[in-house]
Coordinates of all heavy atoms in Angstrom, one line a residue:
M1 N 14.9 71.1 -32.7 CA 15.0 70.4 -31.5 C 14.0 69.3 -31.4 O 12.8 69.3 -31.9 CB 14.8 71.3 -30.2 CG 15.9 72.3 -30.1 SD 15.5 73.3 -28.6 CE 15.9 72.2 -27.3
T2 N 14.2 68.2 -30.8 CA 13.2 67.1 -30.6 C 12.8 66.9 -29.3 O 13.6 67.3 -28.4 CB 13.8 65.8 -31.2 OG1 14.9 65.4 -30.5 CG2 14.2 65.9 -32.8
A3 N 11.6 66.4 -29.2 CA 11.0 66.2 -27.8 C 11.7 65.0 -27.2 O 12.1 64.0 -27.8 CB 9.6 66.0 -27.9
A4 N 11.8 64.9 -25.8 CA 12.4 63.9 -25.2 C 11.5 62.7 -25.2 O 10.2 62.9 -25.3 CB 12.7 64.1 -23.8
P5 N 11.9 61.5 -25.5 CA 11.0 60.3 -25.6 C 10.3 60.1 -24.2 O 11.0 60.3 -23.3 CB 12.0 59.2 -25.9 CG 13.4 59.7 -25.6 CD 13.5 61.1 -25.7
T6 N 9.1 59.7 -24.4 CA 8.5 59.5 -23.1 C 8.1 58.0 -22.9 O 8.0 57.2 -23.9 CB 7.0 60.2 -23.2 OG1 6.3 59.7 -24.3 CG2 7.2 61.7 -23.3
T7 N 8.0 57.6 -21.8 CA 7.6 56.2 -21.4 C 6.2 56.0 -21.5 O 5.5 56.9 -21.5 CB 8.2 55.8 -20.1 OG1 7.5 56.7 -19.1 CG2 9.9 56.1 -19.9
G8 N 5.8 54.7 -21.5 CA 4.4 54.5 -21.6 C 3.6 55.0 -20.3 O 2.5 55.4 -20.4
A9 N 4.3 54.9 -19.2 CA 3.6 55.4 -18.0 C 3.4 56.9 -18.0 O 2.4 57.4 -17.6 CB 4.4 54.9 -16.8
A10 N 4.4 57.5 -18.4 CA 4.2 59.0 -18.5 C 3.3 59.5 -19.6 O 2.4 60.5 -19.3 CB 5.5 59.7 -18.9
R11 N 3.2 58.7 -20.6 CA 2.2 59.1 -21.6 C 0.7 58.7 -21.1 O -0.3 59.6 -21.3 CB 2.4 58.3 -22.9 CG 1.6 58.8 -24.0 CD 2.1 58.1 -25.4 NE 3.5 58.1 -25.6 CZ 4.1 56.9 -25.9 NH1 3.6 55.8 -26.1 NH2 5.4 57.1 -26.2
A12 N 0.5 57.6 -20.3 CA -0.7 57.2 -19.8 C -1.2 58.2 -18.8 O -2.4 58.6 -18.7 CB -0.6 55.9 -19.2
S13 N -0.3 58.8 -18.0 CA -0.6 59.8 -17.0 C -1.0 61.1 -17.6 O -1.9 61.7 -17.1 CB 0.4 59.9 -15.8 OG 1.6 60.5 -16.4
A14 N -0.4 61.5 -18.6 CA -0.7 62.7 -19.3 C -2.1 62.6 -20.0 O -2.9 63.6 -19.9 CB 0.3 63.1 -20.4
V15 N -2.5 61.5 -20.6 CA -3.7 61.1 -21.2 C -4.9 61.1 -20.1 O -5.9 61.5 -20.5 CB -3.6 60.1 -22.1 CG1 -5.0 59.7 -22.7 CG2 -2.6 60.3 -23.4
A16 N -4.4 60.6 -19.0 CA -5.5 60.4 -17.9 C -6.2 61.6 -17.6 O -7.5 61.6 -17.2 CB -5.0 59.6 -16.8
G17 N -5.7 62.6 -17.5 CA -6.1 63.9 -17.1 C -7.1 64.7 -18.3 O -7.7 65.5 -18.1
R18 N -6.9 64.2 -19.5 CA -7.6 64.8 -20.6 C -8.8 64.0 -21.0 O -8.9 62.9 -20.8 CB -6.6 64.9 -21.8 CG -5.5 65.7 -21.5 CD -4.5 65.9 -22.6 NE -3.4 66.6 -22.3 CZ -2.8 67.3 -23.3 NH1 -3.2 67.4 -24.5 NH2 -1.7 68.1 -22.9
L19 N -9.7 64.7 -21.6 CA -10.9 63.9 -22.1 C -11.1 64.3 -23.6 O -11.8 65.3 -24.1 CB -12.2 64.6 -21.3 CG -12.0 64.6 -19.8 CD1 -13.1 65.3 -19.2 CD2 -12.2 63.0 -19.4
P20 N -10.3 63.6 -24.5 CA -10.4 63.8 -25.9 C -11.7 63.7 -26.5 O -12.1 64.5 -27.5 CB -9.4 62.9 -26.5 CG -9.1 61.9 -25.5 CD -9.5 62.5 -24.1
S21 N -12.5 62.9 -26.0 CA -13.9 62.6 -26.7 C -14.7 63.9 -26.3 O -15.5 64.3 -27.2 CB -14.5 61.4 -26.2 OG -14.7 61.4 -24.8
L22 N -14.6 64.3 -25.1 CA -15.4 65.6 -24.9 C -14.9 66.8 -25.5 O -15.7 67.8 -25.9 CB -15.4 65.9 -23.3 CG -16.1 64.7 -22.5 CD1 -16.1 65.2 -21.1 CD2 -17.5 64.5 -23.1
T23 N -13.6 66.9 -25.8 CA -13.0 68.0 -26.5 C -13.6 68.0 -27.9 O -13.9 69.0 -28.5 CB -11.5 67.9 -26.5 OG1 -11.0 67.9 -25.2 CG2 -10.8 69.1 -27.3
G24 N -13.8 66.8 -28.5 CA -14.4 66.7 -29.9 C -15.8 67.1 -29.8 O -16.3 67.8 -30.8
L25 N -16.5 66.9 -28.8 CA -17.9 67.4 -28.8 C -18.0 68.9 -28.6 O -18.9 69.5 -29.1 CB -18.7 66.7 -27.5 CG -19.0 65.2 -27.7 CD1 -19.5 64.7 -26.5 CD2 -19.9 65.0 -28.9
R26 N -17.0 69.5 -27.8 CA -16.9 70.8 -27.7 C -16.7 71.5 -29.2 O -17.2 72.6 -29.5 CB -15.8 71.2 -26.8 CG -16.1 71.0 -25.3 CD -15.1 71.2 -24.4 NE -14.7 72.7 -24.3 CZ -13.5 73.2 -23.9 NH1 -12.6 72.4 -23.4 NH2 -13.4 74.5 -23.9
W27 N -15.9 70.8 -30.0 CA -15.7 71.4 -31.4 C -17.0 71.4 -32.1 O -17.4 72.4 -32.9 CB -14.6 70.6 -32.0 CG -13.3 71.0 -31.8 CD1 -12.3 70.5 -31.0 CD2 -12.6 72.1 -32.4 NE1 -11.2 71.2 -31.1 CE2 -11.3 72.2 -31.9 CE3 -13.0 73.1 -33.4 CZ2 -10.5 73.3 -32.3 CZ3 -12.2 74.1 -33.8 CH2 -11.0 74.2 -33.2
V28 N -17.8 70.3 -32.0 CA -19.0 70.3 -32.6 C -20.1 71.3 -32.1 O -20.7 72.0 -32.9 CB -19.7 68.8 -32.4 CG1 -21.2 68.9 -32.9 CG2 -18.9 67.7 -33.1
A29 N -20.1 71.6 -30.8 CA -20.8 72.7 -30.4 C -20.5 74.0 -30.8 O -21.3 74.8 -31.1 CB -20.9 72.6 -28.8
A30 N -19.0 74.2 -30.9 CA -18.6 75.4 -31.4 C -18.9 75.7 -32.7 O -19.3 76.7 -33.3 CB -17.2 75.5 -31.1
L31 N -19.0 74.6 -33.6 CA -19.3 74.7 -35.1 C -20.8 75.0 -35.2 O -21.2 75.9 -36.0 CB -19.0 73.4 -35.7 CG -19.4 73.3 -37.3 CD1 -18.5 74.3 -38.0 CD2 -19.3 72.0 -37.8
L32 N -21.7 74.5 -34.3 CA -23.0 74.9 -34.3 C -23.3 76.3 -34.0 O -24.0 76.9 -34.7 CB -23.8 73.9 -33.3 CG -24.2 72.5 -33.9 CD1 -24.7 71.8 -32.6 CD2 -25.0 72.4 -34.9
V33 N -22.5 76.8 -33.1 CA -22.7 78.2 -32.6 C -22.2 79.0 -33.9 O -22.8 80.1 -34.3 CB -21.8 78.4 -31.4 CG1 -21.8 80.0 -31.1 CG2 -22.5 77.8 -30.2
F34 N -21.1 78.7 -34.5 CA -20.5 79.6 -35.5 C -21.5 79.5 -36.7 O -21.8 80.5 -37.3 CB -19.2 79.0 -36.0 CG -18.7 79.7 -37.3 CD1 -18.1 80.9 -37.1 CD2 -18.8 79.0 -38.5 CE1 -17.7 81.5 -38.3 CE2 -18.3 79.6 -39.6 CZ -17.7 80.9 -39.5
G35 N -22.1 78.4 -37.0 CA -23.1 78.2 -38.1 C -24.4 79.1 -37.8 O -24.9 79.7 -38.7
F36 N -24.7 79.0 -36.5 CA -25.9 79.8 -36.1 C -25.6 81.3 -36.4 O -26.6 82.1 -36.9 CB -26.3 79.5 -34.7 CG -27.5 80.4 -34.2 CD1 -28.7 79.9 -34.6 CD2 -27.4 81.4 -33.4 CE1 -29.8 80.6 -34.2 CE2 -28.4 82.1 -33.1 CZ -29.7 81.7 -33.4
H37 N -24.4 81.7 -36.1 CA -24.2 83.3 -36.2 C -24.1 83.5 -37.7 O -24.6 84.6 -38.1 CB -22.9 83.6 -35.5 CG -22.9 83.8 -34.1 ND1 -23.6 84.8 -33.4 CD2 -22.5 82.9 -33.1 CE1 -23.6 84.5 -32.2 NE2 -23.0 83.5 -31.9
V38 N -23.5 82.7 -38.5 CA -23.5 82.9 -39.9 C -24.9 83.0 -40.6 O -25.3 83.9 -41.5 CB -22.7 81.7 -40.7 CG1 -22.9 81.7 -42.2 CG2 -21.2 81.8 -40.4
A39 N -25.7 82.0 -40.1 CA -27.3 82.1 -40.5 C -27.9 83.4 -40.0 O -28.7 83.9 -40.9 CB -28.0 80.9 -40.0
T40 N -27.7 83.8 -38.9 CA -28.6 84.9 -38.4 C -28.0 86.1 -38.8 O -28.7 87.3 -39.1 CB -28.6 84.9 -36.8 OG1 -27.2 85.0 -36.3 CG2 -29.3 83.8 -36.2
M41 N -26.8 86.3 -39.2 CA -26.2 87.5 -39.8 C -26.3 87.7 -41.2 O -25.9 88.7 -41.9 CB -24.6 87.6 -39.4 CG -24.4 87.8 -37.9 SD -22.5 87.7 -37.6 CE -22.0 89.0 -38.3
R42 N -27.0 86.7 -41.9 CA -27.2 86.6 -43.2 C -26.0 86.9 -44.1 O -25.9 87.7 -45.2 CB -28.3 87.7 -43.6 CG -29.6 87.4 -42.9 CD -30.4 86.3 -43.4 NE -31.6 86.1 -42.7 CZ -32.2 84.9 -42.6 NH1 -31.7 83.9 -43.0 NH2 -33.4 84.9 -41.9
I43 N -24.9 86.2 -43.7 CA -23.6 86.3 -44.5 C -23.8 85.7 -45.9 O -23.2 86.2 -46.9 CB -22.4 85.7 -43.8 CG1 -22.3 86.6 -42.5 CG2 -21.2 85.6 -44.6 CD1 -21.2 86.1 -41.6
V44 N -24.6 84.6 -46.0 CA -24.8 83.9 -47.3 C -25.9 84.8 -48.0 O -27.0 84.8 -47.5 CB -25.2 82.5 -47.1 CG1 -25.5 81.7 -48.3 CG2 -24.1 81.7 -46.2
A45 N -25.6 85.3 -49.2 CA -26.5 86.1 -49.8 C -27.5 85.3 -50.7 O -28.7 85.7 -50.9 CB -25.8 87.1 -50.8
E46 N -27.1 84.2 -51.3 CA -28.0 83.4 -52.2 C -29.1 82.8 -51.3 O -28.9 82.0 -50.3 CB -27.2 82.2 -52.8 CG -27.9 81.3 -53.7 CD -28.4 82.0 -54.9 OE1 -27.7 83.0 -55.4 OE2 -29.6 81.7 -55.5
P47 N -30.3 83.0 -51.7 CA -31.5 82.4 -50.9 C -31.5 81.1 -50.8 O -31.9 80.5 -49.7 CB -32.7 82.9 -51.6 CG -32.3 84.2 -52.5 CD -30.8 83.9 -52.7
D48 N -31.1 80.3 -51.8 CA -31.1 78.7 -51.7 C -30.2 78.2 -50.7 O -30.4 77.3 -49.9 CB -30.9 78.2 -53.1 CG -32.2 78.4 -54.0 OD1 -33.2 78.6 -53.6 OD2 -31.8 78.4 -55.2
Y49 N -29.0 78.9 -50.8 CA -27.9 78.6 -49.8 C -28.2 78.9 -48.4 O -27.9 78.3 -47.5 CB -26.5 79.2 -50.2 CG -26.1 78.6 -51.6 CD1 -25.4 79.4 -52.5 CD2 -26.2 77.2 -51.9 CE1 -24.9 79.0 -53.7 CE2 -25.6 76.7 -53.2 CZ -25.1 77.6 -54.0 OH -24.6 77.2 -55.2
Q50 N -28.9 80.1 -48.2 CA -29.3 80.6 -46.9 C -30.3 79.6 -46.4 O -30.2 79.4 -45.2 CB -29.8 81.9 -47.0 CG -30.3 82.6 -45.8 CD -29.1 82.8 -44.8 OE1 -27.9 83.2 -45.3 NE2 -29.4 82.5 -43.6
A51 N -31.2 79.0 -47.1 CA -32.2 78.1 -46.6 C -31.5 76.8 -46.1 O -31.7 76.2 -45.1 CB -33.1 77.7 -47.7
V52 N -30.4 76.4 -46.8 CA -29.7 75.3 -46.3 C -28.8 75.7 -45.0 O -28.8 74.7 -44.2 CB -28.6 74.8 -47.5 CG1 -27.6 73.7 -46.9 CG2 -29.4 74.3 -48.6
V53 N -28.4 76.7 -45.0 CA -27.5 77.2 -43.8 C -28.5 77.3 -42.6 O -28.2 76.7 -41.5 CB -26.8 78.5 -44.0 CG1 -26.2 79.0 -42.7 CG2 -25.6 78.3 -45.1
D54 N -29.8 77.9 -42.8 CA -30.7 77.8 -41.8 C -31.0 76.6 -41.3 O -31.3 76.4 -40.2 CB -31.8 78.7 -42.3 CG -31.6 80.1 -42.4 OD1 -30.7 80.6 -41.8 OD2 -32.5 80.8 -43.1
W55 N -31.2 75.6 -42.2 CA -31.6 74.2 -41.8 C -30.6 73.5 -41.0 O -30.8 72.8 -40.1 CB -32.1 73.5 -43.1 CG -32.5 72.0 -42.7 CD1 -33.7 71.7 -42.3 CD2 -31.8 70.9 -42.9 NE1 -33.8 70.3 -42.0 CE2 -32.6 69.8 -42.5 CE3 -30.6 70.6 -43.3 CZ2 -32.1 68.5 -42.5 CZ3 -30.0 69.3 -43.3 CH2 -30.8 68.3 -42.8
L56 N -29.4 73.7 -41.6 CA -28.2 73.0 -40.9 C -27.9 73.5 -39.5 O -27.6 72.6 -38.6 CB -26.9 73.1 -41.7 CG -26.9 72.3 -43.0 CD1 -25.6 72.6 -43.8 CD2 -26.8 70.8 -42.5
F57 N -28.1 74.7 -39.2 CA -27.6 75.2 -38.0 C -28.8 75.8 -37.2 O -28.6 76.7 -36.4 CB -26.7 76.4 -38.2 CG -25.4 75.9 -38.9 CD1 -25.1 76.2 -40.2 CD2 -24.5 75.1 -38.2 CE1 -24.0 75.7 -40.9 CE2 -23.4 74.6 -38.7 CZ -23.0 74.9 -40.0
T58 N -30.0 75.1 -37.3 CA -31.0 75.6 -36.3 C -30.8 75.2 -34.8 O -31.4 75.8 -34.0 CB -32.3 74.9 -36.8 OG1 -32.2 73.4 -36.7 CG2 -32.8 75.2 -38.1
L59 N -29.8 74.3 -34.6 CA -29.6 73.9 -33.2 C -28.4 74.7 -32.7 O -27.8 74.3 -31.6 CB -29.2 72.4 -33.0 CG -30.4 71.4 -33.5 CD1 -29.8 70.1 -33.4 CD2 -31.6 71.7 -32.5
G60 N -28.1 75.9 -33.2 CA -27.0 76.7 -32.9 C -27.1 77.2 -31.4 O -26.2 77.2 -30.5
L61 N -28.3 77.6 -31.1 CA -28.6 78.1 -29.7 C -28.5 76.9 -28.7 O -27.9 77.2 -27.6 CB -30.0 78.6 -29.6 CG -30.3 80.0 -30.3 CD1 -31.7 80.4 -30.2 CD2 -29.3 81.1 -29.8
S62 N -28.9 75.7 -29.0 CA -28.6 74.6 -28.1 C -27.1 74.2 -28.1 O -26.6 73.8 -27.0 CB -29.4 73.3 -28.8 OG -30.8 73.6 -28.7
G63 N -26.4 74.6 -29.1 CA -24.9 74.4 -29.0 C -24.3 75.3 -28.0 O -23.3 74.9 -27.4
V64 N -24.8 76.5 -27.9 CA -24.2 77.3 -26.8 C -24.4 76.7 -25.4 O -23.4 76.6 -24.6 CB -25.0 78.8 -26.8 CG1 -24.5 79.6 -25.6 CG2 -24.6 79.5 -28.2
E65 N -25.6 76.3 -25.2 CA -25.9 75.7 -23.8 C -25.1 74.5 -23.6 O -24.4 74.3 -22.6 CB -27.4 75.4 -23.8 CG -28.2 76.7 -23.7 CD -29.7 76.3 -23.8 OE1 -30.1 75.1 -23.7 OE2 -30.6 77.2 -23.9
F66 N -25.0 73.7 -24.6 CA -24.2 72.4 -24.6 C -22.7 72.7 -24.4 O -22.1 72.0 -23.6 CB -24.4 71.6 -25.9 CG -23.8 70.3 -25.8 CD1 -24.0 69.3 -24.9 CD2 -22.7 70.1 -26.7 CE1 -23.3 68.1 -25.0 CE2 -22.0 68.8 -26.8 CZ -22.4 67.9 -25.9
F67 N -22.1 73.7 -25.0 CA -20.8 74.0 -25.0 C -20.6 74.5 -23.5 O -19.4 74.1 -23.0 CB -20.4 75.2 -25.9 CG -19.0 75.6 -25.9 CD1 -18.1 74.8 -26.6 CD2 -18.6 76.7 -25.1 CE1 -16.7 75.2 -26.6 CE2 -17.3 77.1 -25.1 CZ -16.3 76.4 -25.8
F68 N -21.3 75.3 -22.9 CA -21.0 75.8 -21.6 C -21.2 74.8 -20.6 O -20.4 74.7 -19.6 CB -21.9 77.1 -21.2 CG -21.5 78.4 -21.9 CD1 -22.2 79.0 -22.7 CD2 -20.2 78.8 -21.5 CE1 -21.7 80.1 -23.3 CE2 -19.7 80.0 -22.1 CZ -20.5 80.6 -23.0
I69 N -22.2 73.9 -20.8 CA -22.3 72.8 -19.7 C -21.1 71.8 -19.9 O -20.5 71.3 -18.8 CB -23.6 71.9 -20.1 CG1 -24.8 72.9 -19.6 CG2 -23.6 70.7 -19.2 CD1 -26.1 72.5 -20.1
L70 N -20.7 71.5 -21.0 CA -19.6 70.7 -21.3 C -18.3 71.3 -20.8 O -17.5 70.6 -20.2 CB -19.5 70.3 -22.8 CG -18.7 69.1 -23.2 CD1 -19.2 67.9 -22.4 CD2 -18.7 68.9 -24.7
S71 N -18.1 72.6 -21.1 CA -16.9 73.2 -20.5 C -16.8 73.3 -19.0 O -15.8 73.1 -18.3 CB -16.9 74.7 -21.1 OG -16.7 74.7 -22.4
G72 N -18.0 73.5 -18.3 CA -17.9 73.4 -16.9 C -17.6 72.1 -16.4 O -16.9 71.9 -15.5
F73 N -18.1 71.0 -17.1 CA -17.8 69.7 -16.7 C -16.2 69.3 -16.8 O -15.6 68.8 -15.9 CB -18.5 68.6 -17.5 CG -18.2 67.2 -17.2 CD1 -18.6 66.5 -16.0 CD2 -17.2 66.5 -18.0 CE1 -18.3 65.2 -15.7 CE2 -16.9 65.2 -17.7 CZ -17.4 64.6 -16.5
V74 N -15.7 69.8 -17.9 CA -14.3 69.7 -18.1 C -13.4 70.4 -17.0 O -12.5 69.9 -16.6 CB -13.9 70.1 -19.6 CG1 -12.3 70.1 -19.7 CG2 -14.5 69.2 -20.6
L75 N -13.9 71.7 -16.7 CA -13.2 72.3 -15.6 C -13.3 71.6 -14.3 O -12.3 71.5 -13.5 CB -13.8 73.7 -15.4 CG -13.5 74.7 -16.6 CD1 -14.2 75.9 -16.4 CD2 -11.9 75.0 -16.5
V76 N -14.4 71.1 -14.0 CA -14.5 70.3 -12.7 C -13.7 69.1 -12.8 O -13.2 68.7 -11.7 CB -16.0 70.0 -12.4 CG1 -16.2 69.1 -11.3 CG2 -16.8 71.3 -12.1
W77 N -13.7 68.4 -13.8 CA -13.1 67.2 -14.1 C -11.5 67.5 -13.9 O -10.7 66.7 -13.2 CB -13.2 66.6 -15.4 CG -12.4 65.4 -15.6 CD1 -11.2 65.3 -16.2 CD2 -12.8 64.0 -15.3 NE1 -10.7 64.0 -16.3 CE2 -11.7 63.2 -15.8 CE3 -14.0 63.6 -14.8 CZ2 -11.8 61.8 -15.5 CZ3 -14.0 62.2 -14.6 CH2 -13.0 61.3 -15.0
S78 N -11.1 68.7 -14.4 CA -9.5 69.0 -14.3 C -9.2 69.2 -12.9 O -8.0 69.1 -12.5 CB -9.2 70.2 -15.2 OG -9.5 69.9 -16.5
Y79 N -10.2 69.8 -12.0 CA -9.8 70.3 -10.7 C -10.4 69.5 -9.7 O -10.7 69.8 -8.5 CB -10.1 71.7 -10.5 CG -9.1 72.6 -11.2 CD1 -9.5 73.2 -12.5 CD2 -7.8 72.8 -10.8 CE1 -8.6 73.9 -13.3 CE2 -7.0 73.6 -11.6 CZ -7.4 74.1 -12.7 OH -6.6 74.8 -13.5
R80 N -10.7 68.1 -10.0 CA -11.2 67.4 -8.9 C -10.2 67.1 -7.9 O -9.0 67.3 -8.0 CB -11.7 66.0 -9.6 CG -10.6 65.1 -10.2 CD -11.1 64.0 -10.9 NE -10.0 63.1 -11.4 CZ -9.2 63.3 -12.5 NH1 -9.5 64.4 -13.2 NH2 -8.3 62.5 -12.8
D81 N -10.6 66.6 -6.7 CA -9.8 66.5 -5.5 C -8.7 65.5 -5.6 O -8.8 64.7 -6.4 CB -10.6 66.2 -4.2 CG -11.2 65.0 -4.2 OD1 -10.8 64.0 -3.9 OD2 -12.5 65.1 -4.6
A82 N -7.7 65.6 -4.8 CA -6.5 64.8 -4.9 C -6.7 63.3 -4.7 O -6.0 62.5 -5.2 CB -5.4 65.2 -4.0
S83 N -7.8 63.0 -4.0 CA -8.1 61.7 -3.8 C -8.5 60.8 -5.0 O -8.3 59.6 -5.1 CB -9.2 61.5 -2.7 OG -10.5 62.0 -3.3
A84 N -8.9 61.5 -6.0 CA -9.2 61.0 -7.2 C -8.0 61.0 -8.3 O -8.2 60.4 -9.3 CB -10.5 61.6 -7.9
G85 N -6.9 61.4 -7.8 CA -5.8 61.4 -8.6 C -5.5 62.7 -9.5 O -4.5 62.7 -10.2
G86 N -6.3 63.7 -9.4 CA -6.0 64.8 -10.1 C -5.6 66.1 -9.2 O -5.5 65.9 -8.0
P87 N -5.3 67.2 -9.8 CA -4.8 68.3 -9.1 C -6.0 68.8 -8.2 O -7.2 68.6 -8.3 CB -4.5 69.5 -10.1 CG -5.2 69.0 -11.3 CD -5.4 67.4 -11.3
S88 N -5.6 69.4 -7.0 CA -6.7 69.9 -6.1 C -6.3 71.4 -6.0 O -5.3 71.9 -6.1 CB -6.5 69.2 -4.7 OG -5.4 69.4 -4.0
C89 N -7.3 72.0 -5.4 CA -7.2 73.4 -4.9 C -6.5 73.6 -3.6 O -6.0 74.8 -3.3 CB -8.6 74.1 -4.9 SG -9.4 74.2 -6.5
A90 N -6.4 72.6 -2.9 CA -5.7 72.8 -1.5 C -4.2 73.0 -1.5 O -3.6 73.5 -0.6 CB -6.0 71.6 -0.7
G91 N -3.6 72.4 -2.6 CA -2.1 72.4 -2.6 C -1.6 72.6 -4.0 O -2.3 72.8 -4.9
G92 N -0.3 72.4 -4.1 CA 0.3 72.5 -5.3 C 1.3 73.7 -5.5 O 2.0 74.0 -4.6
S93 N 1.1 74.4 -6.5 CA 2.0 75.6 -6.8 C 1.5 76.7 -5.9 O 0.5 76.9 -5.4 CB 2.0 76.0 -8.3 OG 0.7 76.7 -8.6
P94 N 2.5 77.7 -5.8 CA 2.3 78.9 -5.0 C 1.1 79.6 -5.5 O 0.3 80.2 -4.7 CB 3.6 79.7 -5.0 CG 4.6 78.6 -5.3 CD 4.0 77.6 -6.0
R95 N 0.9 79.7 -6.8 CA -0.2 80.4 -7.4 C -1.5 79.8 -7.1 O -2.5 80.5 -6.8 CB -0.1 80.4 -9.0 CG -1.3 80.9 -9.7 CD -0.8 81.9 -10.7 NE -2.1 82.3 -11.4 CZ -2.8 83.5 -10.9 NH1 -2.4 84.1 -10.1 NH2 -3.9 83.9 -11.8
S96 N -1.5 78.4 -7.0 CA -2.9 77.8 -6.6 C -3.3 78.1 -5.1 O -4.3 78.0 -4.8 CB -2.9 76.4 -6.9 OG -2.0 75.6 -6.1
T97 N -2.3 78.4 -4.3 CA -2.5 78.5 -2.9 C -3.1 79.9 -2.7 O -3.8 80.2 -1.6 CB -1.4 78.3 -2.0 OG1 -0.3 79.1 -2.4 CG2 -0.9 76.9 -2.1
R98 N -2.7 81.0 -3.6 CA -3.3 82.3 -3.4 C -4.7 82.4 -3.9 O -5.3 83.4 -3.4 CB -2.4 83.2 -4.3 CG -1.0 83.5 -3.7 CD -0.3 84.6 -4.4 NE -0.2 84.2 -5.9 CZ 0.9 84.3 -6.5 NH1 1.9 84.4 -6.0 NH2 0.7 84.1 -7.8
T99 N -5.1 81.6 -4.8 CA -6.4 81.7 -5.3 C -7.4 81.0 -4.5 O -7.1 80.1 -3.7 CB -6.5 81.2 -6.8 OG1 -6.1 79.8 -6.8 CG2 -5.7 82.0 -7.8
T100 N -8.6 81.5 -4.5 CA -9.7 80.8 -3.8 C -10.5 79.7 -4.6 O -10.8 80.1 -5.8 CB -10.7 81.8 -3.2 OG1 -10.1 82.8 -2.4 CG2 -11.8 81.2 -2.3
C101 N -10.6 78.6 -4.1 CA -11.3 77.6 -4.9 C -12.7 77.5 -4.6 O -13.2 77.7 -3.5 CB -10.7 76.3 -4.6 SG -8.9 76.2 -5.3

């Protein structure tokens, strides 16, 4: 099956709600966290390679903080009020009316 062709306006509105540059930064932060865990668990047995891993991923703890701050921003951005053109907690689907915002 193929996807239905989309118009330029539909594609622009779908991209308007997304933040691809921030998603890329979240990947970088997640990689820092992963590398930090690899370094602290001593998965790399060779001492020379372990020194390189330790040096590369010293900012892993900062990656955790950065990831959570960035994720919080993305969540707030996704649920900004309707006056800004995004979805709101006040209306929408029946599920959104049952939850507390």
Side-chain angles (χ1 to χ4, degrees):
M1 296 180 72
T2 60
T6 58
T7 63
R11 193 175 310 134
S13 67
V15 174
R18 296 182 182 209
L19 302 168
S21 59
L22 295 184
T23 301
L25 287 175
R26 288 174 67 198
W27 274 102
V28 170
L31 179 65
L32 283 172
V33 172
F34 174 76
F36 179 77
H37 285 286
V38 167
T40 57
M41 294 174 65
R42 302 290 183 206
I43 294 175
V44 180
E46 180 67 34
D48 293 334
Y49 294 141
Q50 182 64 41
V52 172
V53 170
D54 287 340
W55 180 79
L56 282 174
F57 296 109
T58 56
L59 295 176
L61 290 176
S62 298
V64 172
E65 295 171 4
F66 181 66
F67 182 82
F68 282 118
I69 290 170
L70 197 55
S71 296
F73 177 79
V74 169
L75 286 172
V76 170
W77 179 267
S78 298
Y79 290 101
R80 64 193 186 275
D81 62 86
S83 65
S88 70
C89 294
S93 70
R95 170 136 177 89
S96 67
T97 57
R98 286 192 308 238
T99 59
T100 306
C101 295

